[in-house]
DNA sequence: ACCTGAACACCGTTCAAGT
DNA sequence: ACCTGAACACCGTTCAAGT
């Protein structure tokens, strides 16, 4: 089968799930696709460009789920979508500044707040919630990577859990509605 | 002058400030110190170990400033300390899960909330605020790197500013005090 | 104890040349 | 148009050997 941007992004997505960001190299990707490293650059401008494609793919899954009008639920859905892919928060956090409008959940969230707040505040409300979600999940995933690498042993701490996550989401939403 | 862990951490700190995380390699560090790459590994276990040392150093500066009892001010101080060093949020976010107790500001913030909340909630309150701060500054710094690399041009957007940051901090603190 | 020299197994990216 | 082959300029880490 011929190479294409879509096929490369698909392969990168799979490799990210299975081996994490540290295991995702252009050379490995080329090898898995049975092609020379240089061939990738005919379809993809750079590794960063490729990661932008992967980020869109990760969030595309969550976009289907997040057809709710409850911001708390949207935040939890987003977290779940991120947790399905290793190191995804790092990837998304980068792409979010690179292409702020390409990532649908952020757009969705902003519109959700726009129903109850003036435009400027809705933007900031969405930004606050997103920074929290990405900050939380980034740490959660960093921790998971350390456990996987057995650098740290899996104390069943309550620090990174759904309820810990919800506490923050509830706090922010409470702060917004006052 | 003889090599030592402290000298290596100092050099790494300087290089991080000047060239960012992408420009911080063990080989470059060795070159700057006038030594062979292998020599570093006599004083430092790995690059991750070195970054942990750098993270402590970054936050040591902020610890001096953060002798306040106002959480909002503490959050702003922390952000300012982070903004002084390129890519510091990424470095800290990693070390925070690696050695959660080694980073004094988080400890300080938790004690600050403990004065007004039960222990469990104080812990979660501090975690919420910290995730937001790290999430916000991580994006802010990612954006700054993209501007520096001229991948994106510096639209004077209000997205990453002190007032945008404060909006989130105020929201979270309001949510906590209800 | 502390460092060198040299190697091992990798990276991202470019680009002439082939088909 | 699409890909190969080969190179360029790098990585982190290890380890025998020297001083």
């Amino acid at each position: 089968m011929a190479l294409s941007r879509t096929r490369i992004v698909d392969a990168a997505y799979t490799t990210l799930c299975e081996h994490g960001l540290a295991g995702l190299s252009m050379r490995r990707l080329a090898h898995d696709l049975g092609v020379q490293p240089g061939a990738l650059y005919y379809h993809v401008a750079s590794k960063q460009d490729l990661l932008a494609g992967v980020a869109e793919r990760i969030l595309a899954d969550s976009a289907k789920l997040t057809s709710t009008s409850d911001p708390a639920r949207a935040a939890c859905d987003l977290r779940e979508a991120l947790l399905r892919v290793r190191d995804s928060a790092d990837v998304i956090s980068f792409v979010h500044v690179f292409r702020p409008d390409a990532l649908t959940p952020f757009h969705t969230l902003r519109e959700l707040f726009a129903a109850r707040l003036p435009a400027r505040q809705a933007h900031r409300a969405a930004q606050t919630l997103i920074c929290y979600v990405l900050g939380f999940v980034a740490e959660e995933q960093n921790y998971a990577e350390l456990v996987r690498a057995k650098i740290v042993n899996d104390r069943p701490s309550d620090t990174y859990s759904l309820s810990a996550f919800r506490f923050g989401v509830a706090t922010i939403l409470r702060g917004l509605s006052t």
Side-chain angles (χ1 to χ4, degrees), chain A:
Chain A
M1 210 209 304
L3 217 53
S4 69
R5 191 187 154 89
T6 318
R7 267 194 80 210
I8 297 172
V9 171
D10 281 7
Y13 179 87
T14 307
T15 307
L16 192 64
C17 291
E18 287 171 6
H19 305 281
L21 202 55
L24 176 58
S25 74
M26 298 301 271
R27 295 183 104 100
R28 178 204 260 267
L29 225 49
H31 177 261
D32 291 353
L33 289 163
V35 93
Q36 294 295 318
L40 301 176
Y41 289 85
Y42 188 83
H43 303 274
V44 150
S46 64
K47 191 177 182 181
Q48 292 199 346
D49 177 38
L50 173 56
L51 287 177
V54 174
E56 284 176 37
R57 210 182 183 305
I58 292 167
L59 294 177
D61 298 348
S62 89
K64 292 169 195 163
L65 299 172
T66 315
S67 54
T68 174
S69 64
D70 177 19
R73 204 173 157 79
C76 288
D77 286 354
L78 180 55
R79 172 172 169 270
E80 279 202 0
L82 292 176
L83 287 183
R84 284 200 195 93
V85 185
R86 279 170 70 179
D87 297 322
S88 57
D90 286 340
V91 177
I92 264 88
S93 160
F94 161 73
V95 179
H96 184 212
V97 304
F98 190 50
R99 296 186 185 171
D101 37 307
L103 306 183
T104 49
F106 308 121
H107 200 72
T108 314
L109 212 52
R110 209 164 64 205
E111 284 182 351
L112 233 155
F113 283 120
R116 310 185 299 186
L117 292 169
R120 187 193 174 80
Q121 282 199 27
H123 180 263
R124 292 196 158 176
Q127 191 189 8
T128 299
L129 194 54
I130 283 159
C131 285
Y132 169 72
V133 173
L134 290 181
F136 187 96
V137 179
E139 286 202 1
E140 200 173 4
Q141 289 182 326
N142 282 348
Y143 178 70
E145 288 302 313
L146 289 179
V147 170
R148 218 182 298 250
K150 290 178 181 171
I151 294 172
V152 98
N153 47 346
D154 195 1
R155 34 169 177 158
S157 91
D158 188 40
T159 311
Y160 304 111
S161 65
L162 176 57
S163 82
F165 177 74
R166 272 185 164 149
F167 177 92
V169 173
T171 300
I172 290 168
L173 294 178
R174 212 181 303 124
L176 286 171
S177 67
T178 314

